[in-house]
Amino acid sequence: MQGTVAGYSLRYWLTLITGLLECLLFAGLVFGHASLVFVLKKEEYFGWLCVDTNSTMDSKDCSGQDEQFSLVFTVASFLNNFLTLLNGYIFDHCGTRMTRLLAIALFSGGTLLVALSSPEFSHLLYPALSLLAVGGVLLLITNMQVGNLFPAHRSTIITFYNGAFDSSSAVLLIVKILYEQGISLHTSFIFLTVCSSIHVARTFLLMPKTHIPYTLPENYTYGTNCGKGNTDTVEETEIKECPPTQESPETENTSLAPEGRTEAQNTEKVQSFGSCVKSRFFIFHLVWLSIMQLRHYFFIGTLNSMLNRLADGDSNLVSQYTNAFAITQLCGILCAPWNGLIMDRHKKKPLAPGEADLRSSYLSLLLTALQCLLFSVCTSIAFLPLQYFTFVLQVLNRSFLYGGNAAFLSIAFPACHFGKLYGLVMAVSAGVSVLQYPLVSVVREYPFYVDIGLIFLTLLAFIHPTNVFIHCRKQARLRKEHPETRARL
């Protein structure tokens, strides 16, 4: 029996480590777009859009080429968020294995299209990067449930995976360095395509067929066991769907309470998907995410123009600060787990079911909003050296934002709705982020007023942690006044 338990533990750790590597090396590949563009320009993709200027024969205006590369990334990043709604639905209803096979097919199709593309077929980059984005986020969604294998560190693992996703832009930086050493872009992407066989093997060996339940049953296992052809008995302990539920006016008061119990105990009180979406927790969480994501997208989109303005057009200074910003983005995997540690800090205390997660989550939500406010203030100050600190705050806040988003949704709502809720919140926030485009035209004339407006907008993000805090205080007061309810909560 002891050997069996040790086998379970080994499989859990192998799943955790390989999942982390998968997110770090593949899932967020599309966000290394800046490094990829360097190579694509060398290869003269969209090169026909560069035109000779009137000043000298050697000088060319490539603004049309830059716009095409920007549009390729805009389409891919929008689909990365917007289609998460569909992806979440697929994950909830089709299970892990089918979702991962779809993700691998999309991701492999994207890498193969880049490998087969050429300057003559530059427009292949549109479907290629879009497939990379959608396939990559699907891999992330299926991996975040791995946190359920380690209940005491669940939020830490979820945020760690999101940090790895953010840092995976480094892979295309490696592709760029290899290109400068003589290895072609096509060779690198053929290699990435072949690596998809590793994802397939991991899907069958180290991932469940349906979902990893929370709370985890005793001696829970999954995947294919050596020497056993039938895995159905292994999967019997998994919870495959939400029990039947009905909408009720009491839904919101119990929306956060059932997290620490098994599905059997929650059969009568588990929320429907509709009641989750209509709850205050979801609506305020959506506002919290949308505002801060808009702030980050707007900052990235106007970074070059801001640096040119603060550096008085000094190209060397702009290049120096741009490189500093790119390097800080690689630190996302180091920053994200800090948020998870904050959210897991009450796990080992003798609290009521679900209370540990809630008491930790409002501090995490508050810190994330506070970081974004400080980041927005620093951005609005026209002092170039201060932007080094702004870059640090930006990557720290971005890591807290996306890791905290996934962790809170897994805490606040039933696990069987996680994929749909995660997809919905990302899709709606993607629509809100489109507001960055009209803001770009306004900031050219009134940069200070736009920054001040975004600072005040960021203040709205504090509504969410305040609401969760009030809910926790109310639940704690009820338990003190009615101790007999502790057994039922």
Side-chain angles (χ1 to χ4, degrees), residues 458-475:
T458 303
L459 294 175
L460 296 177
F462 287 89
I463 296 175
H464 185 33
T466 303
N467 178 61
V468 176
F469 175 77
I470 292 172
H471 174 85
C472 291
R473 292 291 297 270
K474 185 185 299 183
Q475 294 289 67

Side-chain angles (χ1 to χ4, degrees), residues 44 50-62:
E44 298 186 352
C50 290
V51 295
D52 294 328
T53 61
N54 295 327
S55 54
T56 64
M57 295 300 295
D58 296 331
S59 178
K60 288 187 176 183
D61 177 14
C62 292

